[in-house]
Amino acid sequence: MRFSLALFATALSIGSAFASNVLELTPDNFDEHVGKGKPALVEFFAPWCGHCKNLAPTYEQLADAFAHAKDKVVIAKVDADGVGKPLGQKYGVTGFPTLKWFDADGGEPEKYEGGRDLDALANFVTAKSGVKSSIKPPPPPAYQVLDIHTFDEVALNPEKDVIVAFTAPWCGHCKRLKPIYEEVAKDFSSESNCVVANVDADAKNNRPLAEKYGIGSFPTIKFFPKDNKDEPIDYDGARTEEAFVEFLNEKCGTRRTVGGLLDDTVGRLEQLDKLASKFYEETAATRQELLKEASELASTLGDAAKHYLRVMEKVVNGSEEYLEKESNRLATILQKRTLSPGKLDEIKIKANILGAFRPAPKVEETTEEAEVKHEEL
């Protein structure tokens, strides 16, 4: 008896673990649940249908997302090729899956024409019923989302260079671009005058923008330079993070790398680079003279020269190992990237300047120079 009860308890627990929040409707119970004071989204499916099978786990998630509001909205399904075939015929179902929205008072149903991803379905149910799902909203994107009301303020701002991706929610190429575009926006998050933006050009209220800028396919990407807003530039490059970064650096005059850090040249001053290289290779006595020379030169170069002097002073005052230790410390910070973008820029500039304190690269002589030396010998 104990064994039987244990099996029964196990069966109950398994059954509850797989309990579905999707209400199964048939001709016998359809009118009890639909059009009786609660709106309903109903999927008409066929068990053999591949698209239905693909939708099934998402539809289960949708029902779970509104399980807290079963008294306000119904998420249901009908086997329209089996026991529910009469219902499929009644509501004009000719393909599977077909989703229809039934309002609370049982009026004529509305066919759902949106995307079959969880967000699209949940947003539709929320918009129709006023009931919020339990789905946690995703964090806002790094790129700016523009619409008909905000487009001119941002994209046509004469102080900003702006790249705009005109996309559509259903577009497969746009979906593949989205994570790449997100990384590009993060790369340029510190550049207030180089803006990465997006417009849903298929949204009804934004279609005037699509018409104005000749958007005939998705995604279409255009660059609006700050000095010529009347003639945006079509972006025809590769849809990779590397290609976008290279393009924006050229057009915006920035010096970012993939990942968002500044490139290795930012903060470097050619005149002080030459002294830094000599400083690295010289004796303590000569370093004192080079520090004095660098101080005089720095007075004509402004604040950008201060870190060169700080490094030289550290070494001259007895911290011989400072260069290596500080370089390693800064490299670790840049690798972890736990600081704010602005702080990381400061760290990167310091690391770049430290990079000047090394032997000058040897310049390979040309064939012509070698021939001249040979003739002189």
Side-chain angles (χ1 to χ4, degrees):
M1 178 63 71
R2 288 179 182 176
F3 180 73
S4 298
L5 287 173
L7 283 177
F8 179 69
T10 301
L12 281 177
S13 65
I14 292 175
S16 61
F18 290 98
S20 173
N21 284 310
V22 178
L23 179 64
E24 295 190 22
L25 300 177
T26 68
D28 293 333
N29 68 0
F30 189 90
D31 291 337
E32 295 175 15
H33 297 283
V34 178
K36 299 297 183 182
K38 290 187 292 185
L41 180 66
V42 180
E43 176 201 2
F44 294 84
F45 74 98
W48 47 262
C49 161
H51 293 300
C52 303
K53 292 176 182 177
N54 291 335
L55 176 62
T58 302
Y59 205 66
E60 288 288 343
Q61 290 175 313
L62 179 69
D64 293 343
F66 288 93
H68 64 286
K70 287 184 178 180
D71 59 331
K72 296 178 181 177
V73 64
V74 176
I75 307 297
K77 65 181 180 180
V78 172
D79 180 357
D81 195 48
V83 67
K85 200 166 188 175
L87 290 172
Q89 293 170 342
K90 178 179 179 179
Y91 293 109
V93 174
T94 57
F96 304 111
T98 292
L99 285 83
K100 288 181 178 279
W101 177 260
F102 294 80
D103 59 30
D105 58 9
E108 187 68 21
E110 172 190 344
K111 186 176 181 181
Y112 174 74
E113 302 280 9
R116 292 177 184 171
D117 58 279
L118 181 59
D119 287 340
L121 289 163
N123 289 339
F124 175 81
V125 173
T126 293
K128 286 291 186 180
S129 66
V131 178
K132 292 184 178 180
S133 75
S134 61
I135 301 170
K136 291 182 179 180
Y143 50 81
Q144 291 193 37
V145 178
L146 307 180
D147 59 23
I148 191 72
H149 304 293
T150 59
F151 186 88
D152 288 359
E153 180 184 350
V154 177
L156 304 187
N157 187 328
E159 296 181 356
K160 298 181 184 293
D161 292 306
V162 185
I163 189 169
V164 180
F166 294 86
T167 61
W170 47 261
C171 160
H173 292 299
C174 303
K175 292 177 182 178
R176 286 189 287 274
L177 172 65
K178 188 175 181 179
I180 297 169
Y181 206 63
E182 174 74 6
E183 293 306 312
V184 174
K186 290 178 182 177
D187 292 344
F188 287 85
S189 61
S190 294
E191 303 289 350
S192 59
N193 292 327
C194 188
V195 179
V196 180
N198 172 250
V199 171
D200 177 0
D202 195 46
K204 186 176 181 180
N205 64 316
N206 292 333
R207 285 177 187 168
L209 285 175
E211 293 174 7
K212 179 178 179 179
Y213 293 106
I215 309 302
S217 61
F218 304 109
T220 293
I221 304 168
K222 290 181 179 286
F223 180 77
F224 293 77
K226 58 187 175 186
D227 56 355
N228 189 359
K229 296 297 184 179
D230 293 331
E231 297 182 14
I233 300 167
D234 289 333
Y235 176 79
D236 295 321
R239 293 171 189 166
T240 64
E241 185 180 356
E242 294 81 0
F244 279 117
V245 168
E246 182 179 353
F247 176 85
L248 289 175
N249 280 335
E250 178 189 345
K251 298 298 183 184
C252 298
T254 51
R255 288 186 280 176
R256 293 287 161 184
T257 61
V258 170
L261 292 178
L262 294 168
D263 72 27
D264 294 341
T265 66
V266 178
R268 296 281 286 267
L269 299 170
E270 185 178 355
Q271 305 96 312
L272 288 176
D273 277 357
K274 293 176 181 177
L275 287 179
S277 183
K278 288 182 182 178
F279 183 91
Y280 178 84
E281 297 178 307
E282 292 295 346
T283 62
T286 306
R287 283 176 174 174
Q288 286 280 8
E289 296 176 7
L290 289 172
L291 173 57
K292 183 179 179 182
E293 183 180 347
S295 298
E296 294 173 354
L297 182 59
S299 65
T300 67
L301 298 175
D303 291 343
K306 286 183 178 179
H307 198 63
Y308 282 90
L309 297 182
R310 184 172 182 275
V311 173
M312 289 182 177
E313 289 167 354
K314 282 278 188 180
V315 175
V316 165
N317 292 331
S319 303
E320 186 66 35
E321 298 176 350
Y322 174 77
L323 290 174
E324 182 179 356
K325 287 184 177 180
E326 183 67 356
S327 293
N328 290 338
R329 185 182 77 86
L330 297 182
T332 300
I333 293 173
L334 292 172
Q335 186 176 20
K336 290 181 177 179
R337 301 193 186 189
T338 54
L339 300 178
S340 67
K343 198 65 179 177
L344 286 174
D345 283 353
E346 294 178 19
I347 298 294
K348 178 58 178 170
I349 289 172
K350 290 180 179 180
N352 287 349
I353 292 172
L354 277 172
F357 290 83
R358 62 182 61 180
K362 293 181 179 180
V363 180
E364 295 184 6
E365 63 183 11
T366 65
T367 304
E368 192 174 305
E369 290 172 333
E371 288 176 352
V372 169
K373 284 185 180 180
H374 180 73
E375 289 175 3
E376 290 175 350
L377 293 173

